[in-house]
């Protein structure tokens, strides 16, 4: 039995591949939507964020043989909890992460974290489109809301808790784009034109995370992009292909 942290669309495909290879999977996810997508593929799910202690208890309860961490590249806390839980439980930890990309363009500025991105955006001002999700929205509103010659347009999943967070932080309804991706290059361009965006902030999530489409749209429109680099975590047994994960599991476990 494999315990999987499934935080991306490709994690669902990996879970299916693992089951096709004879590995039973229980996946943990954060949202009901993600759980539904996995359940429709026949994958058992657990909903909710887990601490290290909760993961350790869950591993013991279900007698998992290994952890496959396919959480989002920016789900830093979840990955650290999984690493600790695997060590405490004495089972292998295997990391799947979308291949990283490099970008070289004068319109693209790489930064190390959300705080640096917000401070740089404060210097640039204009119409700023956030495509970084709701979790760190407060960092940007702290630096940017109420700033002269600045409008913050936040793009996020159409969930009630996200809308409540926007309201609490002072983001007006007219500045919220509540949509679920993936977003094509054409749709990104249309949104940039609609809101007269002059600066986009995004994360280096990988090609499956639609970074290409967002960046290509921004470059096509001639606007600047601030891109947040992935957290630097010292992973064990890291792979950027499904085959690598399956081969690693095969070498570490007996059926």
């Amino acid at each position: 039995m494999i315990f999987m942290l499934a935080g991306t669309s490709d994690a669902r495909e990996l879970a299916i591949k693992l089951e096709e290879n004879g590995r039973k999977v229980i996946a943990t996810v954060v949202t009901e939507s993600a759980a539904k997508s996995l359940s429709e593929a026949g994958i058992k799910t657990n909903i909710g964020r887990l601490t290290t202690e909760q993961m350790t208890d869950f591993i013991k309860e279900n007698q998992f043989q290994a952890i496959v961490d396919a959480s989002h590249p920016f789900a830093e806390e979840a990955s650290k909890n999984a690493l600790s839980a695997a060590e405490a439980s004495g089972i292998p930890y295997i990391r799947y992460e979308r291949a990283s990309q490099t970008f070289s363009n004068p319109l693209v500025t790489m930064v190390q974290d959300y705080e640096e991105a917000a401070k740089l955006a404060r210097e640039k001002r204009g119409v700023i489109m956030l495509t970084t999700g709701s979790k760190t929205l407060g960092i940007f509103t702290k630096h940017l809301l109420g700033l002269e010659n600045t409008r913050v347009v936040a793009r996020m999943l159409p969930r009630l808790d996200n809308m409540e967070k926007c309201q609490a932080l002072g983001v007006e309804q007219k500045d919220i784009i509540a949509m679920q991706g993936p977003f094509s290059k054409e749709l990104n361009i249309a949104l940039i034109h609609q809101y007269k965006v002059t600066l986009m902030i995004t994360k280096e999530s990988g090609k499956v995370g639609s970074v290409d489409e967002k960046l290509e749209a921004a470059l096509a429109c001639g606007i600047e992009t601030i891109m947040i680099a992935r957290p630097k975590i010292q992973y064990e047994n890291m792979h950027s292909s499904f085959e690598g994960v399956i081969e690693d599991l095969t070498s570490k476990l007996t059926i």
Side-chain angles (χ1 to χ4, degrees), residues 46-229:
N46 172 78
I47 304 173
R49 290 184 173 87
L50 300 176
T51 65
T52 298
E53 292 75 19
Q54 288 170 331
M55 282 191 191
T56 304
D57 290 341
F58 196 54
I59 290 167
K60 184 178 180 180
E61 178 186 338
N62 290 276
Q63 297 183 322
F64 290 116
Q65 297 170 287
I67 293 180
V68 173
D69 178 7
S71 60
H72 192 278
F74 283 80
E76 187 175 1
E77 184 179 353
S79 287
K80 288 180 177 178
N81 289 345
L83 277 163
S84 298
E87 183 178 1
S89 304
I91 63 174
Y93 168 97
I94 296 172
R95 171 67 174 167
Y96 168 79
E97 187 170 293
R98 304 162 175 171
S100 188
Q101 295 172 281
T102 56
F103 304 95
S104 179
N105 190 290
L107 288 174
V108 181
T109 303
M110 294 293 296
V111 297
Q112 293 305 306
D113 54 34
Y114 297 95
E115 192 77 23
E116 186 181 352
K119 288 178 178 177
L120 181 57
R122 184 181 178 89
E123 294 175 12
K124 295 181 178 294
R125 308 197 181 194
V127 181
I128 302 166
M129 178 178 285
L130 300 176
T131 64
T132 49
S134 63
K135 188 176 180 181
T136 56
L137 181 60
I139 296 173
F140 294 101
T141 57
K142 177 183 70 174
H143 287 283
L144 301 173
L145 279 193
L147 197 61
E148 188 178 2
N149 300 321
T150 303
R151 180 187 183 189
V152 178
V153 178
R155 194 172 90 182
M156 61 189 62
L157 291 171
R159 289 170 37 182
L160 178 60
D161 58 335
N162 285 347
M163 300 306 100
E164 290 173 341
K165 187 168 190 176
C166 285
Q167 183 179 32
L169 291 171
V171 180
E172 297 184 46
Q173 290 183 22
K174 63 184 177 66
D175 295 328
I176 301 170
I177 302 173
M179 300 175 68
Q180 180 163 348
F183 297 84
S184 65
K185 175 184 174 182
E186 291 73 23
L187 180 52
N188 281 305
I189 289 174
L191 290 171
I192 288 169
H193 287 322
Q194 175 68 29
Y195 288 89
K196 298 181 172 58
V197 175
T198 61
L199 175 68
M200 182 174 69
I201 302 178
T202 189
K203 301 181 292 189
E204 201 285 280
S205 300
K207 186 171 178 61
V208 184
S210 298
V211 172
D212 279 358
E213 287 77 6
K214 283 185 279 191
L215 186 59
E216 286 174 6
L219 294 177
C221 295
I223 68 169
E224 290 186 73
T225 298
I226 297 173
M227 184 170 294
I228 302 165

Side-chain angles (χ1 to χ4, degrees), residues 240-253:
S240 58
S241 70
F242 295 170
E243 292 76 16
V245 173
I246 292 168
E247 288 174 9
D248 206 352
L249 277 172
T250 301
S251 70
K252 289 179 168 59
L253 304 178

